[in-house]
């Protein structure tokens, strides 16, 4: 029994030491006030130099070196490692030295980073990567910081544009109303010439006409010739063009445009006439007849829209292109036209 009690006592002491070592690893020192003095729950028992010697490190090492040394020593002296060199007291010393060295290295690193930041403030910051091509090249720092700087830049630019627009409006409102300036504005509205060379030629022509240089020209009062007898023009092309002009030839897109307009007018008149024949109120038979008329009208509009597509492919100008007709809108329009005719008849 005495031997069992000794074994239990040793095991309990060993477990308490291990538990204390594991708790002290995650335990952070916390200050508390006692009287007028500030105390701490954790105090290192060894100085910094001894801690470096215990971890087998030199001052100025990195955080990775400190962690690697601590791991190797912990595997060597940890009581639960099962190695022949396991020693709880040596592990406690390694634990304490690790905390002291880690705190010292972290403090030195923070101070060096602060010094580098102060030096970087006076260094020119130039973009070194392709991601600086975004945000119109505005801002420095991380992407989030550059995004904030770019948003502020856009706000400032928009404000400047608004101020410039307001100044322009004020200048246009309170412009000097001079007689000569008003005359020039009227003249510029009459002569709609944008290019400077054309304006110069037009001014020279007007000046020559005012002087009378064009009064004694040969062929004055005679019609212009359709074609000139130029030897460089192909005779076949010359004769074909003259035949087409004499016979009133029109391009294909003009004929198609005329046909489309005539067709839509005819369809509108026919549907209004059909609605007028049915009268009001419509019986179920007449309603069925009206539905068949609307179906035929929708089919005619669909064919007309195909004709419009063909027209848009051959028309030379974009401003001359036409849009599709809506059958539903045309039916509603015919109904309104019929109601207007009925109101006119009742009024008359």
């Amino acid at each position: 029994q005495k031997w069992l009690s000794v074994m239990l006592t040793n095991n309990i002491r060993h477990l308490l030491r291990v538990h204390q070592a594991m708790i002290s690893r995650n335990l952070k020192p916390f200050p508390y006030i006692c009287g007028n003095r500030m105390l701490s729950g954790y105090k290192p028992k060894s100085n910094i130099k001894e801690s470096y010697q215990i971890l087998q490190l030199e001052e100025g090492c990195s955080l990775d070196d400190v962690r690697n040394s601590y791991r190797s020593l912990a595997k060597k002296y940890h009581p639960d490692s099962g190695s022949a060199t396991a020693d709880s007291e040596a592990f406690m010393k390694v634990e304490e030295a690790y905390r002291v060295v880690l705190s010292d290295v972290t403090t030195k690193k923070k101070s060096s980073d602060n010094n580098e930041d102060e030096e970087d403030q006076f260094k020119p910051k130039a973009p070194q990567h392709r991601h600086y091509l975004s945000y119109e090249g505005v801002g420095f720092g991380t992407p989030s910081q550059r995004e904030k700087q770019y948003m502020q830049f856009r706000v400032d630019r928009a404000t400047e544009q608004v101020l410039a627009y307001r100044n322009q409006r004020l200048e246009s409102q309170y412009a000097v109303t001079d007689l000569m300036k008003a005359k020039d504005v009227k003249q510029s509205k009459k002569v709609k010439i944008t290019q400077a060379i054309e304006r110069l030629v037009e001014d020279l022509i007007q000046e020559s006409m005012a002087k009378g240089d064009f009064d004694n020209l040969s062929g004055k009062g005679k019609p212009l010739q359709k074609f000139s007898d130029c030897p460089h023009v192909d005779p076949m092309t010359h004769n074909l063009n003259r035949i087409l002009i004499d016979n009133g030839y029109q391009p294909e897109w003009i004929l198609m445009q005329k046909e489309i307009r005539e067709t839509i007018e005819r369809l509108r008149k026919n549907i209004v006439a059909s609605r007028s024949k049915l009268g009001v109120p419509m019986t179920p038979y007449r309603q069925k007849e009206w539905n068949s008329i609307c179906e035929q009208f929708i089919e005619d509009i669909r064919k007309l829209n195909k004709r419009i597509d063909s027209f848009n492919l051959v028309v030379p100008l974009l401003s001359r292109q036409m849009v599709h007709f809506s059958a539903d809108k045309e039916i509603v329009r015919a109904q309104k036209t019929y109601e207007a005719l009925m109101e006119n008849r009742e009024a008359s």
Side-chain angles (χ1 to χ4, degrees):
Q1 292 179 354
K2 185 176 181 180
W3 179 77
L4 287 174
S5 62
V6 171
M7 290 293 295
L8 288 174
T9 303
N10 293 334
N11 290 334
I12 290 171
R13 288 179 181 178
H14 174 70
L15 291 174
L16 287 175
R17 289 177 181 177
V18 172
H19 183 64
Q20 184 178 4
M22 298 299 294
I23 291 176
S24 61
R25 178 183 302 176
N26 298 324
L27 184 63
K28 295 182 179 180
F30 59 93
Y32 59 92
I33 299 173
C34 181
N36 295 327
R37 294 183 299 172
M38 182 71 71
L39 302 179
S40 175
Y42 170 77
K43 291 183 180 179
K45 297 181 180 180
S46 60
N47 55 14
I48 297 175
K49 291 184 179 181
E50 293 179 356
S51 300
Y52 276 103
Q53 292 177 358
I54 292 173
L55 294 180
Q56 301 176 2
L57 295 173
E58 296 181 358
E59 294 186 6
C61 59
S62 62
L63 291 174
D64 294 335
D65 296 336
V66 176
R67 294 191 184 99
N68 294 332
S69 177
Y70 171 71
R71 288 171 185 171
S72 61
L73 293 175
K75 291 178 181 179
K76 182 178 181 181
Y77 295 112
H78 198 279
D80 295 337
S81 62
S83 61
T85 58
D87 187 358
S88 59
E89 294 182 357
F91 177 74
M92 292 291 293
K93 291 181 180 179
V94 170
E95 180 77 18
E96 184 179 356
Y98 170 70
R99 291 183 176 276
V100 174
V101 173
L102 185 64
S103 176
D104 181 62
V105 173
T106 305
T107 304
K108 290 181 179 179
K109 185 178 180 181
K110 287 182 179 179
S111 62
S112 62
D113 292 341
N114 293 332
N115 294 331
E116 290 179 357
D117 293 338
E118 292 178 356
E119 293 177 358
D120 291 341
Q121 292 178 358
F122 301 98
K123 293 181 180 179
K125 298 181 180 180
Q128 299 293 334
H129 304 286
R130 291 187 61 84
H131 70 270
Y132 280 100
L133 298 176
S134 59
Y135 304 118
E136 300 182 14
V138 176
F140 294 95
T142 61
S144 60
Q145 293 175 353
R146 297 183 64 248
E147 183 178 3
K148 293 180 180 179
Q149 296 172 11
Y150 178 66
M151 294 299 293
Q152 184 63 34
F153 169 75
R154 291 186 61 184
V155 170
D156 297 339
R157 184 172 59 183
T159 305
E160 292 177 358
Q161 292 177 356
V162 169
L163 292 177
Y165 175 72
R166 289 180 178 177
N167 292 333
Q168 186 178 1
R169 287 190 61 184
L170 290 174
E171 290 177 359
S172 62
Q173 290 177 0
Y174 299 100
V176 181
T177 57
D178 193 2
L179 294 177
M180 295 299 295
K181 188 173 183 179
K183 186 177 180 180
D184 293 340
V185 171
K186 291 181 181 179
Q187 188 67 21
S188 63
K189 289 182 179 179
K190 290 181 181 179
V191 184
K192 296 181 179 179
I193 299 174
T194 57
Q195 297 183 3
I197 298 177
E198 294 181 358
R199 180 63 180 272
L200 177 60
V201 173
E202 183 67 22
D203 292 341
L204 293 175
I205 292 172
Q206 295 293 335
E207 184 180 355
S208 299
M209 290 175 63
K211 291 180 180 179
D213 295 339
F214 300 152
D215 294 340
N216 299 323
L217 294 176
S218 60
K220 181 180 180 182
K222 298 179 182 180
L224 296 175
Q225 295 181 0
K226 296 181 182 178
F227 301 99
S228 61
D229 298 332
C230 181
H232 302 288
V233 178
D234 184 17
M236 182 63 69
T237 305
H238 172 80
N239 294 330
L240 288 175
N241 291 335
R242 186 176 62 184
I243 292 170
L244 291 175
I245 291 175
D246 292 340
N247 289 275
Y249 169 77
Q250 292 180 346
E252 181 183 3
W253 65 273
I254 294 179
L255 297 176
M256 293 177 65
Q257 186 180 26
K258 183 179 179 181
E259 180 185 355
I260 291 169
R261 290 177 178 175
E262 291 177 353
T263 304
I264 190 63
E265 291 296 331
R266 177 174 54 80
L267 292 176
R268 288 171 178 172
K269 290 180 181 179
N270 291 340
I271 193 171
V272 172
S274 301
R275 182 65 184 87
S276 301
K277 291 179 181 179
L278 296 176
V280 178
M282 288 192 297
T283 60
Y285 175 76
R286 291 183 177 179
Q287 183 65 39
K288 186 176 180 181
E289 186 177 356
W290 170 247
N291 292 336
S292 62
I293 292 171
C294 291
E295 290 177 359
Q296 183 62 35
F297 179 78
I298 292 172
E299 181 64 21
D300 294 337
I301 291 293
R302 186 182 64 81
K303 294 179 180 179
L304 183 61
N305 289 333
K306 286 187 176 180
R307 190 66 175 167
I308 291 173
D309 293 336
S310 301
F311 166 77
N312 291 334
L313 291 175
V314 298
V315 65
L317 300 176
L318 291 177
S319 59
R320 293 282 187 175
Q321 289 189 349
M322 302 178 67
V323 296
H324 287 184
F325 294 101
S326 175
D328 296 335
K329 291 182 180 180
E330 293 295 334
I331 293 172
V332 173
R333 179 179 179 179
Q335 185 69 24
K336 291 182 179 179
T337 305
Y338 168 73
E339 293 175 358
L341 292 174
M342 293 299 295
E343 291 177 359
N344 293 334
R345 289 179 182 177
E346 293 177 358
S348 60

